[in-house]
Amino acid sequence: AANHGGGYAYRLCPASAPLTEECFQANHLPFADAASTLRLGGGGEVRAPAADVSKGTVPAGGAWRRNPVPACRGGSCDAPQFPPPAGCDATCWGTSDNASIGRVLPVIVDRLKLPVSLGPGRYVLGFRWDCEATSQVWASCSDVTILSGGAGGVSAARQ
């Protein structure tokens, strides 16, 4: 794993539509709560308060979350770029996994809200990560099926 800082967003596009950036931008998913769960490499979990941004984003109002795992400060990697979340140990920050010192970067887990207006059907869940340390943008996607839920709610099943 590598840590280039920055932040990320989750978006949906109907599977029947052309999978364009415009389609994904039209369907940004809001985060369900104000924290991420970090699954630590050595076991255990830590809740990390979120730093969410929705002003000045593209599209306007789209939810974007800062990476809660600090990278290294400076080239020597002897200190984190910012204080790690409470409950993290010395392996909960850095620029990459480093087996020689027992560092395994945590996995970030988020909960998302599905808009009630979203109809059941097949969608593509898009994940976009805008790096801070480089000019890279990373993207990945997954097929999901939105099912109708009780009391007007919706739920998603990963395919």
Side-chain angles (χ1 to χ4, degrees):
N3 183 0
H4 295 279
Y8 54 92
Y10 297 90
R11 303 99 52 84
L12 281 177
C13 184
S16 60
L19 300 178
T20 63
E21 181 63 17
E22 291 76 21
C23 182
F24 284 108
Q25 284 184 9
N27 297 291
H28 264 252
L29 294 177
F31 293 95
D33 50 28
S36 296
T37 298
L38 302 182
R39 291 192 179 148
L40 305 178
E45 293 183 347
V46 171
R47 292 287 284 167
D52 293 343
V53 177
S54 60
K55 293 181 181 174
T57 58
V58 176
W64 181 90
R65 182 165 281 181
R66 185 185 82 171
N67 176 7
V69 179
C72 296
R73 180 177 53 208
S76 63
C77 203
D78 57 355
Q81 187 179 37
F82 54 87
C88 281
D89 58 20
T91 66
C92 194
W93 59 272
T95 53
S96 63
D97 291 344
N98 185 337
S100 67
I101 61 170
R103 179 174 290 144
V104 178
L105 294 175
V107 173
I108 303 166
V109 179
D110 293 302
R111 292 175 6 110
L112 305 170
K113 290 182 188 177
L114 294 177
V116 175
S117 61
L118 196 64
R122 294 180 58 232
Y123 291 85
V124 175
L125 174 66
F127 175 79
R128 177 185 166 124
W129 188 295
D130 293 270
C131 296
E132 176 183 16
T134 69
S135 60
Q136 297 172 329
V137 174
W138 296 334
S140 65
C141 57
S142 176
D143 293 328
V144 296
T145 299
I146 305 297
L147 307 170
S148 60
V154 294
S155 62
R158 185 172 177 216
Q159 295 179 336

